[in-house]
Amino acid sequence: MTLEEFFERNPRCALGFSGGVDSAYLLWAAVRAGAQVRPYFVKTPFQPAFELADARRLAGTLGVDLSVVEMNVLAVEKVAENPGKRCYYCKRAIFGAIRDRALADGYTLLLDGTNASDDASDRPGMAALKELKVRSPLREAGLTKEIIRERSREAGLFTWDKPAYACLATRVPTGRTITGADLRRIEAGEAALRDLGFRDFRLRLYGDAARLQVTGTQLALAVESRASIRRELAPWFDTVLLDLKER
């Protein structure tokens, strides 16, 4: 089934919208197909400010109203405790909130941007989506990340080459309680690194230190910029470690 056929059969739907490559392309495809689609962005401590900015920019470009749902996901005990299945509990809570809001707005079908490249065996959150009966048109249409990026580029979407971005909670080691204070300093540190020219990287907690992971192409930049990195991250981290294993 193609996306066009999906939206022909399902012309009214709600979309869990992150502002990333996949959900951006799915929103574009829904609008292009003439579907009545409402995107919902759930604002939690796990999402940095730039993600909401990107979501608003994309929705505005497409002429679609974006609904922002504020949620303190750290109030969910199993999420804050950060067990191995944290993603399951988090996805269940977030999409549960979207479902409730969408139903109140008159939408009975909820979509997400999971694509055909996503490995279900490595994503506990996908089990939550199945339980909530969330459909994934990109996956159903067999569209991989590579195809989605190419089609997004052809469509003129600014998200086409946006680096993959996992939520801030993934920067905290499994089993370590997630706190708002840790999330805020991680977000601030990553924003500073983006200002230094880094792309597609992670700043992970390692005890009281920060562990910087970059791609192979940016290892040289990390070494050359070590003084700048230490200076810019000093307000939040006394120690910054560079992981020599490519991200």
Side-chain angles (χ1 to χ4, degrees), residues 14 51 58 102 167 218:
E51 288 282 63
L58 196 286
C167 80
Q218 295 211 306

Side-chain angles (χ1 to χ4, degrees), residues 42-55:
V42 179
K43 184 182 178 186
T44 81
F46 290 177
Q47 279 73 44
F50 80 83
E51 288 282 63
L52 178 54
D54 283 355

Side-chain angles (χ1 to χ4, degrees), residues 1-104:
M1 177 172 58
T2 66
L3 287 183
E4 291 78 8
E5 290 170 337
F6 178 90
F7 288 116
E8 183 178 342
R9 300 174 190 176
N10 302 281
R12 180 177 168 81
C13 49
L15 169 63
F17 185 59
S18 69
V21 178
D22 300 323
S23 62
Y25 179 70
L26 185 56
L27 180 60
W28 174 86
V31 171
R32 185 169 182 268
Q36 185 178 350
V37 58
R38 172 73 66 86
Y40 292 83
F41 182 99
V42 179
K43 184 182 178 186
T44 81
F46 290 177
Q47 279 73 44
F50 80 83
E51 288 282 63
L52 178 54
D54 283 355
R56 282 178 167 149
R57 178 184 170 190
L58 196 286
T61 298
L62 297 178
V64 179
D65 291 330
L66 176 67
S67 295
V68 179
V69 181
E70 301 222 13
M71 177 184 185
N72 180 15
V73 73
L74 290 178
V76 180
E77 185 177 359
K78 284 293 187 180
V79 173
E81 288 177 353
N82 198 20
K85 288 181 62 178
R86 182 208 68 248
C87 189
Y88 166 82
Y89 298 112
C90 183
K91 191 77 76 174
R92 177 93 195 186
I94 287 176
F95 271 83
I98 296 175
R99 180 192 59 184
D100 292 345
R101 175 71 174 272
L103 284 172

